[in-house]
Amino acid sequence: MSNEAIDDARRLEKEMLLFKVDFEKAYDSVDFNYLDVFMKKMNFPTLWRKWMSECVGTTTASVLVNGCPTEEFPLERGLRQGDPFSPLLFLLAAEGFNVLMMSLMEADLFNGYRVGRENALGVSHLQFADDTLIIGEKSWLNVRSMQTVLLMFEQLSG
C-alpha cells in the first residue's frame, strides 16, 4: 500500500508527507496499566484481562554475575520478546495510536494522502508489528498534528 501511494505521488507529481516510526524497544516499554485500561475500553472480559495481567505482571528475573544469579526482582513494565502473548498485547497497545489518528482525521486536524484521481482512497497510517508509517498531504498542520499524536501516544502507552 505504501509503495502504491508513493508511486501515485510520483506519477501525478503530488507532494506528500511520509514519516516512518519504528517504536524502538517497543516491547520493553509498554505500560501494563495502559494495556489494561485499553483492553477494558475495548470490552475485553474481566477474567481475560486478569489472566493477561497475571501472565505479564507476575514475571520476575535475575541476572547472572560471574555465573552466580542475583536475587529475583519483578519486571514492572514491558512485554517479553519470545512470549507467545507479546505480539498480541503489543498490537493491542499499538491500537491506541490508531484510535488517536482516527480522532485527528475526524476532527479534520490531519489529512491523509488520497491515492488515485477518481474514487480516491485515503490513507493516513499503516502499522505492522512495531513499525508505523504515517502518510498524509504535505502541510504544516499535518506535521504539527503528527507530532502531537506521537507525543500523546508516548505519554499514554509508556
Side-chain angles (χ1 to χ4, degrees), residues 139-151:
S139 72
W140 283 111
L141 175 63
N142 273 357
V143 171
R144 285 189 294 274
S145 296
M146 181 182 63
Q147 181 183 23
T148 301
V149 79
L150 287 169
L151 290 170

Side-chain angles (χ1 to χ4, degrees), residues 17-22 124 126 132-136 146 150:
L17 167 75
L18 187 65
F19 190 82
K20 182 182 181 297
V21 180
D22 181 6
S124 61
L126 301 169
T132 296
L133 193 61
I134 302 170
I135 305 170
M146 181 182 63
L150 287 169

Side-chain angles (χ1 to χ4, degrees), residues 1-10 16-20 113 115 121 123 125-127 132-135:
M1 186 67 201
S2 60
N3 285 337
E4 290 296 324
I6 293 168
D7 289 344
D8 182 76
R10 286 183 178 153
M16 70 185 305
L17 167 75
L18 187 65
F19 190 82
K20 182 182 181 297
Y113 182 79
V115 180
L121 172 68
V123 180
H125 60 290
L126 301 169
Q127 293 179 284
T132 296
L133 193 61
I134 302 170
I135 305 170

Side-chain angles (χ1 to χ4, degrees), residues 27 48 51-52 55-56 79-80 82-90:
Y27 283 86
W48 199 87
W51 287 340
M52 290 302 102
C55 288
V56 175
L79 303 171
R80 294 179 306 276
D83 185 319
F85 287 120
S86 291
L88 169 67
L89 295 175
F90 182 76

